[in-house]
Amino acid sequence: MSRRPNGDDQLLQQRLELVEDLWETVLRSECPPEQAERLLRMKQLSEPLAGDGDGDSSSSDSVVQLIREMDLVEAIAAARAFSLYFQLVNILEQRIEEDSYLASMSRCQESSESEGVDPFAPPLASQTEPATFRDLFERLRRLNVPPAQLEALLQNLDIRLVFTAHPTEIVRHTVRHKQRRVASLLQQLQGTVDMASGDQASLRRQLEEEIRLWWRTDELHQFKPSVLDEVDYALHYFQQVLFDAMPQLRRRIQAALTQNYPDVRLPPAAFCTFGSWVGSDRDGNPSVTPEITWRTACYQRQLMLDRYISAVQDLRDQLSISMQWSQVSAPLLESLEMDRLRFPEVYEERAARYRLEPYRLKLSYTLERLRLTQQRNQQLSEAGWRTPPEGLVPCQPTNASAGEALHYGSVAEFRSDLELIRNSLVSTELSCDPLDTLLTQVHIFGFSLASLDIRQESTRHSDALDELTRYLKLPTAYGAMDETARVEWLLEEMQTRRPLIPPAVEWSAATAETIAVFRMLHRLQEEFGSRICRTYVISMSHSVSDLLEVLLLAKEAGLVDPAAHHADLLVVPLFETVEDLQRAPEVMGQLFEHPLYRQLLPRVGEQAQPLQELMLGYSDSNKDSGFLSSNWEIHQAQIALQDLASRHDIALRLFHGRGGSVGRGGGPAYQAILAQPSGTLQGRIKITEQGEVLASKYSLPELALYNLETMSTAVVQNSLVTSQLDATPSWNDLMSRLASRSRSHYRALVHDNPDLVAFFQQVTPIEEISKLQISSRPARRKSGAKDLSSLRAIPWVFGWTQSRFLLPSWFGVGTALADEVGDDQEQLQLLRRLHQRWPFFRMLISKVEMTLSKVDLELARHYVTSLGSADHREAFERIYATIADEYSLTRRLVLDITGQERLLDADPALQLSVDLRNRTIVPLGFLQVALLRRLRDQNRQPPMSEAPNTDPDGRTYSRSELLRGALLTINGIAAGMRNTG
């Protein structure tokens, strides 16, 4: 949940009355009267006592009693009702965030016009609040940042946001459509103060009707989504919001520069671009095949061509300029003559109509080429990646020369046509804003929309090479070589001209697919250009050989040419565990020492520096070592890797694999960017946007712009404002002690306690979560395994969040801080000073504070006592006591460091939002426990058919009905917590 400016708490309180009234109206109209009254009673019982943030235990007992009296139908209705409530509140908060952003833009404009400046604003190096371009550039100007320094940074600005299909998006696509409709109606209802009463009543009726339709829509996915379903879902945000938002982002940076730095050149149009793992991330997902990746690329291109055709049609309608009243550039007239020869049919059809309207005629030819490109794309999608280019029929008009392909072979050709039109307009002192907008979109999205990153686990490549070398009967098989021998052999093979992989060999399924992926990539780039897919991420990277293996396999597919010092693929290691993060500088140092490796890196900037991209994993390092240790190791790794890259004169782009929750690196992106070590960004960053984060950031246009703008300003601010705080030896030593102590305490519980796995499986809904149809990827790395190591980080965090422990996001921090402070008040004062001055430490404490505010140990204890088995009772009590003690300790020390009386006192809007959710989510938690208990009691009985079983009260439910109820509570709690995993 993003932080909002103060004052939003009043907005939330005012608008909440409308939402709660709508919710109550819908319940009364859709549920039987007695049922509706009980649901409203449950909501009332969850309200806090006056002036207190928590409800009392008698209220909780009353809620539990109400739930016991419910049959399954009513329990499901309760789960759906509270889920609906939270999703309405989420829409409300998103609208408030949008309104606050627009208000801040207006205030910024007014302050700029009055030339006022806040004398009490913190130094820029210590500022962690989000800023607009206008805010930031004005402060930079007042700090006398030289225009040349800002321009140099802006010209190399490179922000990449990568959408992923991790299994955390729990809301159906259909329901998202309902939510957008409700959001739009709410905006209309609240947006006009002087609206006629009749219009207000009409909007109110429409809102009620839309929410009632939503109530009658099934929230649960009816089937496990395919990879292409996930592709469609992720690309939806581009179609609905981002395609139109990106040109606005450019206009905002242009306006801010004009006002504060009029002589500074704009950054390139594509300073912020997008990538995607959806349809290309095959790590642990057997459903992502080469064919799926190929179809994903074709689908993305189809979406872009549809948008461009629509835009060009609109341009043709607008550019009705006649040669009788305006000059036209000679290059445009020459291109029209060339087009006449290539497209005689278009000329015959349009020449008479557009005889004196050259722009319309040119755009008619452009439309024809786009339509032919569409035909080509459809052929490619149907034929598949194995069909060679010569196997496709050229797309051409009837009268075209045989064999001449007239579709756009690259986006550069399309862009050239548009620039020809713009240059002609400019030469006659005309401009066309829709044309400029389209050109910006073409620069950003190309024909690809988003670049596909391939990701695969490192052992897939070594296994393939081992099978290959055994087939070739090498003296020593690859799997039997040590690391030194592997590196030596890989480098030698890289420089040979002969092929390594013999044709027409029947490999194992895994090896055959590994080889096919690289061949598909070559074909993809051959047809679509390198932009569509130029990054290969290696998860679980441990060593030099992990990267060289991929380069060798890419060479065999024609993607790498060591003799020409050229590679069409950027190999990106993903360092995930704490040990791998610590070893990363050594691994990369060895690679940078090899001239061959350096020669294959792409070149960037005016100095043509080699570029290395490195990915840092937050999820697995957190699961491995806990929140504090993970964040500190990533922080240290970034500094060491940047120092290493600088020594080798290599540009570094760090790729942050952040999830939605704090336990997986989540939290406000601008705050995280500003907390990056000084000197490590240099205008370049790449970040994953995962699961439910997409909906929270990019579902509304102004909200998307807010997130894009504040991320961009954070990158600029961090890159320009240098700070030596990260290099303070005593602070680094202190953090190392905290990380070490936190890690040992976390691992003692999570990895060394033999009962922890049973505790997690029994007192969280982890097994039921795996039955949610929300992802094409399995929840576990190895099917059938029940150990902690096989469980993915996402369901690990998801389970703890549902049961209100949220353990991965804070456990171990309190013990580490307590050991450091002891009874030494001076040490506490030092931690307070760090919190005030060091963005990294402030970000850590802020994330822990926010997470602690969502923990509900009373409810968590109910999960333990109700769902834990009798034979584990004593062990589970000890684990719960350990968690509760650590929570109390962590909470006390966080309040000591921040100087607050209550958690989140410094952010009243967020505090109000969390308090609202904490108290209203309680009935869902009790309801989930009741349903899980009934479901698991039935599951423990001998296998039988779906025939209903009878509970002690004489009511009968089938297992599938109980599972459905439990899954609905998971939906509701995820909505209430505003994140899953």
Side-chain angles (χ1 to χ4, degrees), residues 766-781:
I766 182 60
E767 293 307 316
E768 290 73 22
I769 286 170
S770 67
K771 295 180 174 63
L772 278 168
Q773 306 283 4
I774 59 174
S775 173
S776 65
R777 194 172 79 161
R780 293 184 179 273
R781 296 181 187 273

Side-chain angles (χ1 to χ4, degrees), residues 456-603:
Q456 184 56 281
E457 202 264 331
S458 58
T459 58
R460 285 293 295 266
H461 314 118
S462 55
D463 289 348
L465 288 174
D466 182 55
E467 182 176 346
L468 174 63
T469 54
R470 291 181 188 279
Y471 175 83
L472 295 174
K473 295 187 173 6
L474 263 62
T476 305
Y478 186 77
M481 297 180 192
D482 60 19
E483 176 64 11
T484 303
R486 286 187 175 194
V487 170
E488 183 179 341
W489 181 78
L490 290 165
L491 287 171
E492 181 181 334
E493 282 296 326
M494 285 279 292
Q495 297 173 80
T496 61
R497 290 281 189 177
R498 58 156 174 75
L500 176 66
I501 302 176
V505 175
E506 191 170 329
W507 305 106
S508 66
T511 296
E513 179 161 349
T514 299
I515 295 170
V517 167
F518 288 94
R519 291 175 176 167
M520 180 275 299
L521 273 178
H522 181 263
R523 179 74 184 95
L524 201 59
Q525 292 191 3
E526 182 181 44
E527 185 65 43
F528 292 74
S530 63
R531 179 171 178 168
I532 183 63
C533 189
R534 54 193 171 195
T535 302
Y536 197 109
V537 179
I538 311 168
S539 56
M540 288 297 168
S541 291
H542 309 295
S543 60
V544 170
S545 62
D546 288 334
L547 280 78
L548 296 180
E549 289 165 2
V550 172
L551 283 172
L552 178 57
L553 291 168
K555 169 190 170 255
E556 289 298 304
L559 291 160
V560 172
D561 186 353
H565 302 161
H566 176 77
D568 289 318
L569 200 64
L570 179 60
V571 179
V572 178
L574 167 52
F575 298 109
E576 299 181 76
T577 67
V578 165
E579 287 76 12
D580 289 334
L581 287 165
Q582 292 171 343
R583 195 164 47 236
E586 178 189 348
V587 171
M588 298 313 301
Q590 292 176 33
L591 281 163
F592 292 162
E593 292 292 338
H594 289 292
L596 175 63
Y597 183 81
R598 287 173 55 90
Q599 290 162 359
L600 294 176
L601 292 174
R603 305 280 164 162

Side-chain angles (χ1 to χ4, degrees), residues 625 629 739-749 752 815:
S625 298
S629 174
S740 176
R741 183 67 185 95
S742 172
R743 184 187 190 204
S744 62
H745 191 61
Y746 173 88
R747 289 189 64 85
L749 174 68
D752 299 337
T815 293

Side-chain angles (χ1 to χ4, degrees), residues 510-725:
T511 296
E513 179 161 349
T514 299
I515 295 170
V517 167
F518 288 94
R519 291 175 176 167
M520 180 275 299
L521 273 178
H522 181 263
R523 179 74 184 95
L524 201 59
Q525 292 191 3
E526 182 181 44
E527 185 65 43
F528 292 74
S530 63
R531 179 171 178 168
I532 183 63
C533 189
R534 54 193 171 195
T535 302
Y536 197 109
V537 179
I538 311 168
S539 56
M540 288 297 168
S541 291
H542 309 295
S543 60
V544 170
S545 62
D546 288 334
L547 280 78
L548 296 180
E549 289 165 2
V550 172
L551 283 172
L552 178 57
L553 291 168
K555 169 190 170 255
E556 289 298 304
L559 291 160
V560 172
D561 186 353
H565 302 161
H566 176 77
D568 289 318
L569 200 64
L570 179 60
V571 179
V572 178
L574 167 52
F575 298 109
E576 299 181 76
T577 67
V578 165
E579 287 76 12
D580 289 334
L581 287 165
Q582 292 171 343
R583 195 164 47 236
E586 178 189 348
V587 171
M588 298 313 301
Q590 292 176 33
L591 281 163
F592 292 162
E593 292 292 338
H594 289 292
L596 175 63
Y597 183 81
R598 287 173 55 90
Q599 290 162 359
L600 294 176
L601 292 174
R603 305 280 164 162
V604 294
E606 294 180 359
Q607 306 299 318
Q609 264 188 308
L611 172 71
Q612 175 67 63
E613 184 176 304
L614 291 165
M615 187 169 182
L616 307 172
Y618 288 72
S619 302
D620 283 286
S621 59
N622 193 309
K623 177 168 165 266
D624 174 53
S625 298
F627 171 77
L628 199 155
S629 174
S630 166
N631 277 267
W632 179 242
E633 292 299 341
I634 289 172
H635 189 82
Q636 290 288 86
Q638 290 180 77
I639 295 173
L641 288 165
Q642 182 57 61
D643 289 345
L644 174 72
S646 298
R647 290 198 304 272
H648 287 85
D649 194 28
I650 289 175
L652 192 64
R653 180 167 62 223
L654 292 170
F655 184 2
H656 297 266
R658 303 170 74 240
S661 61
V662 170
R664 297 183 51 246
Y670 59 82
Q671 192 182 62
I673 292 169
L674 291 174
Q676 299 306 303
S678 181
T680 59
L681 291 192
Q682 300 184 10
R684 287 181 294 269
I685 196 167
K686 190 170 175 180
I687 304 172
T688 54
E689 298 281 46
Q690 301 183 7
E692 76 279 352
V693 171
L694 300 183
S696 67
K697 285 186 176 182
Y698 303 114
S699 58
L700 302 175
E702 287 298 334
L703 197 57
L705 274 169
Y706 167 78
N707 283 289
L708 292 166
E709 183 168 5
T710 53
M711 274 195 284
S712 301
T713 55
V715 172
V716 172
Q717 179 177 324
N718 180 286
S719 302
L720 279 178
V721 183
T722 56
S723 166
Q724 298 304 312
L725 297 177

